[in-house]
Amino acid sequence: MKHFASSEAVTASPVRGPQKTQKDDEDVMTEQGFKRFRRRAPADATPSAAAEERPLSAPASSVAAQLPATLPEPWDRIRQVPFDAEADGSRCLPLVSRLRTAPASKSFDLLRTRLLHTLKARGWKRVAVTAPAGGCGTTFSAVNLALSLARVPGSRTVLLDMNFRRPGVAQAMGIPVQAEMNAFLSGAAPMEEHLLRPLPSLAVGLNSAADQNAAEILHSRSCSAALDELMLRSGADTALFDLPPVLEHDDTAAVLPQVDGVLLVSDGTSTTAAQLAACEKVLAGHTQLLGVVLNRARKSDCPLH
């Protein structure tokens, strides 16, 4: 009887509070088990506190804003400069290619077309523009030919003033010199810092400082490497190199291995047949003579012979 009474007192005693059921015990065990599981779970199974605070997905606009911006290609990174083909007051040479109806302008357009046909047929791009002697109009021809080439839709033309004896492209185009050609050919100045774009399809490398060591500069390996990199990174279709006279210095002979062909500018009032023959001997075995541009001709149906 005492045992029964004791048992009844235990089960009915109000001091111990409400009676726990089997379900309550199971809930407690389940909760404790979940806590133990959460404490013992591996690190990769539970997101960190920082990850729990981040949203599962970000808006597409914010993701796009965080992506690195795409750099423009090297040609588009060349700085554009103002250029007015109509203003001739500050120039020592006329830009006849802007006068589309003038006979000289038509001659340069015809020269351009014939030159492009030859280059395309042979897969060439680099053209040296030079003359037998000074005063034949090399810079005049190079600048006007470059402007004519730049009018071809979808094309890219580069004009480099590599005449260290008498640089003149900057004055002919009325563009201030920003960096010297020697810095570019030596590798000290990259293409984007040296070249300027007076037109969207034309880039020019200018020069203003005469250098008596011009032949050594053009002979150097850095010059060859700079020209190769220029053609590769610019994507130019045609590159014109304005060079000193063939018979007066060895500058042009030094750069001949770097070009595909030569345009020889002759003065109709002073150039002799003997001078042209001497130039052909210098060019032989090094590069191709693409043609002779007859400047200051009294009667000429075509500037390229």
Side-chain angles (χ1 to χ4, degrees):
M1 290 294 295
K2 292 182 179 179
H3 177 72
F4 177 77
S6 176
S7 300
E8 184 178 1
V10 170
T11 57
S13 175
V15 177
R16 295 183 180 274
Q19 181 180 0
K20 290 184 178 181
T21 64
Q22 182 178 2
K23 181 177 183 303
D24 294 333
D25 293 337
E26 292 175 354
D27 292 341
V28 171
M29 293 177 64
T30 303
E31 182 179 358
Q32 292 176 349
F34 175 73
K35 290 181 179 179
R36 288 195 301 271
F37 170 76
R38 190 166 56 185
R39 285 196 302 268
R40 296 176 183 176
D44 58 351
T46 304
S48 63
E52 290 178 357
E53 295 177 358
R54 292 197 304 264
L56 295 179
S57 61
S61 58
S62 62
V63 173
Q66 296 175 0
L67 293 177
T70 303
L71 290 175
E73 62 173 310
W75 181 269
D76 295 326
R77 296 204 296 269
I78 300 174
R79 186 159 62 92
Q80 298 190 45
V81 294
F83 176 67
D84 185 7
E86 302 294 330
D88 288 337
S90 61
R91 302 191 182 105
C92 62
L93 296 175
L95 300 182
V96 298
S97 62
R98 65 185 174 87
L99 305 173
R100 304 301 302 276
T101 59
S105 178
K106 294 180 180 179
S107 296
F108 276 108
D109 287 346
L110 181 57
L111 171 62
R112 169 198 65 188
T113 300
R114 293 191 175 186
L115 176 64
L116 288 178
H117 287 169
T118 301
L119 297 180
K120 184 177 180 180
R122 304 186 182 185
W124 293 344
K125 295 184 176 182
R126 308 183 192 189
V127 178
V129 183
T130 184
C136 291
T138 301
T139 299
F140 166 77
S141 301
V143 170
N144 282 283
L145 178 58
L147 292 174
S148 181
L149 287 167
R151 288 199 298 268
V152 177
S155 65
R156 291 180 180 180
T157 302
V158 173
L159 171 61
L160 298 186
D161 189 348
M162 298 173 67
N163 187 342
F164 286 95
R165 308 294 176 170
R166 295 179 61 188
V169 173
Q171 186 175 1
M173 300 189 71
I175 303 175
V177 177
Q178 304 293 328
E180 298 299 338
M181 180 62 64
N182 188 18
F184 169 68
L185 295 181
S186 65
M191 177 189 76
E192 294 88 342
E193 294 182 6
H194 177 70
L195 296 186
L196 300 172
R197 277 201 298 158
L199 297 173
S201 57
L202 174 62
V204 295
L206 305 178
N207 195 16
S208 64
D211 197 323
Q212 298 302 316
N213 297 321
E216 288 75 13
I217 295 173
L218 299 177
H219 268 299
S220 66
R221 293 183 179 179
S222 61
C223 173
S224 175
L227 296 181
D228 289 342
E229 184 180 16
L230 167 68
M231 299 305 298
L232 178 64
R233 300 185 66 239
S234 68
D237 300 291
T238 310
L240 301 179
F241 306 146
D242 184 4
L243 292 167
V246 176
L247 303 181
E248 293 183 1
H249 308 283
D250 63 334
D251 304 5
T252 299
V255 81
L256 288 181
Q258 310 302 327
V259 302
D260 297 314
V262 173
L263 278 178
L264 198 60
V265 181
S266 65
D267 187 335
T269 63
S270 62
T271 303
T272 65
Q275 289 177 321
L276 295 177
C279 290
E280 291 182 4
K281 288 183 179 181
V282 174
L283 302 179
H286 297 287
T287 188
Q288 291 288 329
L289 177 61
L290 298 176
V292 177
V293 178
L294 185 58
N295 190 28
R296 298 190 183 97
R298 294 184 177 87
K299 293 181 180 181
S300 177
D301 296 330
C302 175
L304 181 63
H305 300 281

